């Protein structure tokens, strides 16, 4: 996962949440513009789990995101 891509994704995500877009919707919208890769797959899985009603904490446990990022989100 490239640090620049990860940083950009999170800045965009923060702005979307500030604008009132639900977390799972914001993640899905950002993923739609991403190139195929591990980060896109991980974020799509996270959004899909939350959309199904899985709690953020549980969805994060099922992800391959960096441990520090998971801790920050929790």
């Amino acid at each position: 996962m490239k640090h620049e891509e990860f940083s950009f994704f999170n800045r965009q995500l923060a702005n979307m949440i500030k604008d009132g877009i639900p977390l799972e919707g914001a993640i899905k919208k950002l993923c739609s513009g991403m190139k195929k890769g591990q980060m896109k797959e991980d974020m799509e899985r996270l959004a899909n789990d939350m959309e199904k009603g899985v709690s953020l904490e549980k969805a994060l446990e099922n992800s391959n995101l960096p441990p520090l990022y998971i801790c920050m989100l929790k």
Side-chain angles (χ1 to χ4, degrees):
M1 184 177 308
K2 294 181 181 179
H3 294 296
E4 297 83 20
E5 181 183 22
F6 198 58
S7 177
F8 178 78
F9 179 90
N10 285 292
R11 283 192 307 270
Q12 295 299 314
L13 183 61
N15 287 331
M16 293 174 91
I17 291 170
K18 285 180 190 175
D19 288 341
I21 299 172
L23 180 59
E24 63 271 11
I27 292 172
K28 283 187 169 240
K29 185 166 180 82
L30 289 171
C31 286
S32 69
M34 294 173 71
K35 293 183 276 183
K36 290 183 181 181
Q38 188 65 45
M39 182 175 168
K40 181 176 180 171
E41 291 174 17
D42 290 338
M43 290 299 184
E44 285 178 331
R45 187 177 314 112
L46 181 67
N48 288 333
D49 284 350
M50 289 188 301
E51 193 172 62
K52 293 175 187 172
V54 176
S55 69
L56 176 59
E57 187 170 349
K58 184 69 175 170
L60 287 168
E61 289 174 11
N62 297 330
S63 75
N64 292 320
L65 296 169
L68 177 61
Y69 189 68
I70 291 172
C71 287
M72 288 177 13
L73 289 175
K74 285 182 178 181

